[in-house]
Amino acid sequence: MGVKVQDSKIYLPKLGWMGFFNSRLIPDGFTIKAATIRKRQDGWYVSIRIEDKSIPDYLSKPLNEVDSILGCDLGITKLVHLSDRHQIDNPKFSTNKKSLRTLKIRQRRVSRKIKGSKNRKKAARKLGRFHKKITDKRVAYQWDIANKIVSRKVDAIALEDLNIRTMLKRCRVKTDESTGRFLKNGQSRKKGLNRAISDASWGELILKIEYLAAKLGKVVIKINPRHSSQECRKCGHIDKSNRDGEKFICTECGHHEHADIGAAKTIRDRAFKIVRGDSPELAAVSS
């Protein structure tokens, strides 16, 4: 006997019937395929996978029919920069001043309690609920942003093909050859950057954009972002010194613009080259 739902009760194999809060009704015609149970800080959650074979699969537009593309450059100061010059704010849910202070206080309260005591478990649950609150806010905000990006009147969306796991790696250890002592390798400075990248959660945002784009039949093209913010859009000159923070001034021809918006436009143009077959580079295309 599989999973069954009746009003505010659910039947789970090996567990039987139990009460639950049915937050979303199952539409007519859908059948339950599987259920996943998860324990979070404030209780148990069940996710139900449903299927209706009468609904056709989403079909994306072929690449040769793509006429308009929106380029997206992900960042820290602003969460997303778009090629149409629109910028989306980054609320920094877990790294803003108020959240950092609250986390510091609650983590200190946990550490000061006796290990194994009820008071320590109570403080740990309170800390866990705050982490969950931050996660829920971030997820809700990302769905809102993904909707705004995908709902634009374009045929395709160009995203950076980021290797986030590599970006979060620790710096290599440096040692003095003569004394063997450890030298500064920039890890303490990179720690703050890693925390900001994790808070931005680019990977989750990209997944949400891909999911919503597929529902609307739009194509997602992943582009190699190498030198996208250092390449001059006027003369093509690539130089690290072209960029100074958010300012871009080409050292070759003097062209200037916003560095991140220029990067979004470069990503859009690289996607157009792939669509037209002018680029020798391979790109990942989601449909």
Side-chain angles (χ1 to χ4, degrees):
M1 188 179 292
V3 180
K4 294 181 180 180
V5 175
Q6 290 182 3
D7 298 326
S8 60
K9 290 185 178 181
I10 184 170
Y11 179 87
L12 298 172
K14 297 183 180 181
L15 294 177
W17 287 99
M18 59 184 64
F20 82 121
F21 176 69
N22 195 352
S23 62
R24 189 177 302 174
L25 297 176
I26 299 174
D28 294 334
F30 283 83
T31 57
I32 299 174
K33 302 298 291 183
T36 303
I37 302 173
R38 296 182 180 88
K39 188 179 188 302
R40 302 187 70 181
Q41 287 80 2
D42 59 347
W44 292 86
Y45 288 77
V46 57
S47 301
I48 300 173
R49 182 161 59 89
I50 57 178
E51 180 185 38
D52 186 354
K53 293 184 178 180
S54 64
I55 298 177
D57 294 333
Y58 297 111
L59 297 176
S60 299
K61 183 173 289 190
L63 273 181
N64 56 8
E65 295 181 11
V66 171
D67 297 321
S68 55
I69 300 175
L70 179 70
C72 302
D73 177 71
L74 303 176
I76 298 295
T77 307
K78 297 287 184 180
L79 185 59
V80 188
H81 301 82
L82 303 177
S83 56
D84 59 4
R85 305 193 64 82
H86 186 74
Q87 300 180 76
I88 298 172
D89 291 332
N90 182 10
K92 299 180 180 179
F93 292 105
S94 67
T95 55
N96 61 59
K97 190 174 181 181
K98 184 178 179 180
S99 294
L100 286 174
R101 183 175 181 274
T102 305
L103 284 170
K104 183 178 180 180
I105 291 172
R106 296 195 180 184
Q107 286 168 348
R108 184 172 26 184
R109 287 175 181 171
V110 173
S111 63
R112 288 180 175 178
K113 300 290 189 296
I114 299 172
K115 290 184 178 180
S117 67
K118 290 184 178 180
N119 282 338
R120 186 182 177 97
K121 292 178 182 178
K122 185 178 178 181
R125 283 196 298 268
K126 195 171 182 180
L127 174 62
R129 285 196 297 269
F130 186 70
H131 276 294
K132 180 181 177 295
K133 185 178 179 181
I134 290 173
T135 302
D136 291 343
K137 284 183 177 180
R138 184 188 295 115
V139 170
Y141 184 73
Q142 286 187 343
W143 279 118
D144 182 49
I145 295 309
N147 268 302
K148 288 181 179 178
I149 292 174
V150 173
S151 62
R152 278 172 158 72
K153 295 181 179 179
V154 292
D155 299 326
I157 299 167
L159 300 170
E160 297 174 279
D161 190 12
L162 299 173
N163 190 342
I164 300 173
R165 182 176 294 180
T166 302
M167 295 171 69
L168 295 175
K169 278 187 176 180
R170 295 179 62 87
C171 298
R172 290 184 179 180
V173 176
K174 293 183 180 180
T175 55
D176 191 311
E177 293 182 359
S178 57
T179 62
R181 298 183 64 180
F182 291 108
L183 301 175
K184 291 184 178 180
N185 62 349
Q187 179 58 36
S188 58
R189 185 171 62 250
K190 190 175 184 295
K191 184 179 178 181
L193 176 62
N194 288 355
R195 188 183 293 117
I197 292 173
S198 299
D199 185 29
S201 191
W202 294 332
E204 292 297 320
L205 178 59
I206 289 172
L207 288 174
K208 291 175 177 63
I209 292 173
E210 289 177 333
Y211 172 79
L212 294 176
K215 289 184 69 175
L216 294 179
K218 296 186 178 182
V219 182
V220 172
I221 307 173
K222 290 188 177 180
I223 303 298
N224 184 356
R226 186 176 177 83
H227 301 311
S228 59
S229 62
Q230 300 173 9
E231 179 182 345
C232 178
R233 292 180 41 75
K234 190 173 181 180
C235 68
H237 176 65
I238 298 174
D239 190 352
K240 188 177 181 180
S241 58
N242 283 348
R243 177 167 184 169
D244 180 16
E246 294 184 350
K247 296 179 182 178
F248 181 94
I249 303 176
C250 181
T251 56
E252 189 74 17
C253 68
H255 173 70
H256 61 89
E257 64 178 332
H258 191 287
D260 294 309
I261 292 176
K265 292 179 180 178
T266 300
I267 291 168
R268 176 200 62 192
D269 294 345
R270 291 179 183 179
F272 268 119
K273 288 182 180 179
I274 291 169
V275 169
R276 295 165 184 161
D278 300 333
S279 175
E281 296 183 3
L282 296 177
V285 180
S286 299
S287 57

